[in-house]
Amino acid sequence: MSQTNSQHEPEFAVEIEGLAKVYQSSNKQTPKHALKDVSLKIKRGSFFGLLGPNGAGKSTLINILAGLVNRSGGSAKIWGHDIDTDMRAARRSIGVVPQELNIDPFFTPRELLDLQAGLYGVPESERQTDEVLEAVGLGDKADAYTRSLSGGMRRRLLVGKAMVHRPPVLVLDEPSAGVDVDLRRQLWTHVKAMNDEGTTVLLTTHYLEEAEAMCDEIAIINHGRIIACERTEEMLSRLDARELRVDLETPATEIPETLNKYNPALNKPDCLTLSFAPSKTPARKVLADIEAAGLKVRDFATTESDLEDIFIRLTHGDADDAA
């Protein structure tokens, strides 16, 4: 469903340079700097995640790209088109799936998609309404009133609305908010298929496990600034930390001092947890130190650090720096 023309495809689907947004003061309140010198380059065909706490600037950034909010400084291009000097081409190159279910309950999916295509100036002879409906799994619901659709189907319909003008860039703003696990899985199946076919996806989400599983590159924004931007596997490798959980054959009443270097914790008399850096200390060395301390190991398991650990560490540190 993506817009493909190999002769004109840019290297980067989205290019943002020094983007800033200041909401002017009102009622004696100080101006709010929603974005501060934000620069990002999103490669064509990538699945890019933009993460950050509430109020970090995610929605402001997306709304600037979509033309709903005016920037205060910097520049942005979508598919090589400047959002100000080449506004129409930039708007045609992006489709936005909002958080809110903003669909008319008295229209059918086919009618809604036809209307949306008309708003983008797509001639009737060039519309692919039925193809879009099939792509999002709503072909058999084309003529049903949208009020009869389930929550997951309505989410998919929003994706369809964003794709009717065949934009090469699809923006998903918290698409899984309020959606149960099964519906989220259905939604991601369709979005991943679009990405596999060449559509560049920009995702904002609070579900960190989703970003970890879906995105090939992730940026973290906090207080209007980008504080990290790396490929997902590189970001996950930044935390050189692992937790070892050990089940003991004999309950322990205290932790031997020789294990203090591992920040141990005795969760239960027969359950001990320790932390270590795998790049410096292999797990077998930790187990050997436990045995040398006089504790007998019955079973053990290790837990890797995940994206949530990185997110908390980076945003907490950024908040401390801002304070």
Side-chain angles (χ1 to χ4, degrees), residues 14-318:
V14 177
E15 296 179 78
I16 299 170
E17 187 67 36
L19 200 63
K21 176 60 184 178
V22 180
Y23 290 102
Q24 296 303 320
S25 59
S26 60
N27 297 327
K28 298 182 179 180
Q29 294 181 346
T30 58
K32 175 177 174 56
H33 292 260
L35 296 177
K36 305 172 186 177
D37 193 29
V38 171
S39 295
L40 281 176
K41 288 187 177 181
I42 301 175
K43 291 182 179 179
R44 181 185 74 244
S46 66
F47 203 122
F48 191 94
L50 181 64
L51 308 182
N54 289 329
K58 302 188 302 295
S59 293
T60 298
L61 178 58
I62 288 174
N63 287 336
I64 289 175
L65 294 178
L68 301 176
V69 171
N70 294 325
R71 60 182 176 80
S72 301
S75 62
K77 292 181 180 179
I78 301 171
W79 211 245
H81 306 293
D82 188 277
I83 61 172
D84 290 325
T85 61
D86 201 3
M87 180 180 66
R88 288 184 179 275
R91 300 294 185 274
R92 286 195 299 268
S93 299
I94 189 172
V96 179
V97 181
Q99 296 183 40
E100 300 80 13
L101 290 171
N102 57 350
I103 52 179
D104 192 314
F106 298 102
F107 280 74
T108 66
R110 177 177 282 119
E111 291 170 340
L112 278 174
L113 265 57
D114 270 336
L115 175 61
Q116 188 79 357
L119 293 175
Y120 273 94
V122 181
E124 286 190 30
S125 60
E126 297 180 14
R127 295 177 190 174
Q128 298 180 311
T129 300
D130 290 336
E131 182 181 347
V132 174
L133 287 171
E134 288 293 337
V136 296
L138 292 176
D140 60 340
K141 300 291 185 180
D143 297 310
Y145 285 119
T146 55
R147 64 175 179 269
S148 68
L149 301 181
S150 67
M153 291 177 181
R154 295 184 189 190
R155 288 286 177 192
R156 282 184 268 150
L157 181 56
L158 287 180
V159 175
K161 283 183 64 179
M163 296 299 295
V164 292
H165 56 297
R166 287 173 289 168
V169 180
L170 179 66
V171 177
L172 304 166
D173 189 9
E174 298 284 356
S176 301
V179 177
D180 65 36
V181 174
D182 288 338
L183 298 182
R184 285 165 62 188
R185 189 178 297 115
Q186 293 174 26
L187 175 66
W188 290 125
T189 297
H190 293 291
V191 173
K192 190 65 172 66
M194 292 178 185
N195 179 243
D196 290 341
E197 292 173 4
T199 300
T200 303
V201 179
L202 170 57
L203 165 72
T204 75
T205 180
H206 284 303
Y207 295 101
L208 300 183
E209 72 278 8
E210 238 171 34
E212 188 173 336
M214 301 289 292
C215 299
D216 46 49
E217 192 169 1
I218 291 173
I220 296 178
I221 187 171
N222 199 27
H223 299 295
R225 295 183 295 156
I226 299 295
I227 58 176
C229 182
E230 296 172 341
R231 292 194 61 80
T232 305
E233 60 268 24
E234 293 173 356
M235 186 171 286
L236 290 173
S237 69
R238 287 176 53 169
L239 271 188
D240 184 21
R242 187 177 293 176
E243 184 178 86
L244 177 67
R245 179 181 179 276
V246 176
D247 292 332
L248 302 173
E249 285 189 358
T250 304
T253 56
E254 60 181 4
I255 301 173
E257 291 186 5
T258 55
L259 299 179
N260 286 345
K261 58 186 175 182
Y262 298 121
N263 296 316
L266 198 60
N267 302 322
K268 294 185 293 185
D270 61 349
C271 182
L272 180 68
T273 58
L274 308 96
S275 300
F276 65 100
S279 67
K280 300 176 182 178
T281 307
R284 62 178 179 274
K285 174 65 167 61
V286 183
L287 290 170
D289 286 348
I290 294 173
E291 294 276 359
L295 302 177
K296 298 297 183 181
V297 177
R298 186 179 75 248
D299 195 7
F300 69 92
T302 59
T303 303
E304 301 281 355
S305 298
D306 59 17
L307 183 58
E308 184 171 3
D309 297 322
I310 298 173
F311 180 83
I312 292 173
R313 177 173 295 190
L314 288 174
T315 54
H316 179 73
D318 186 56

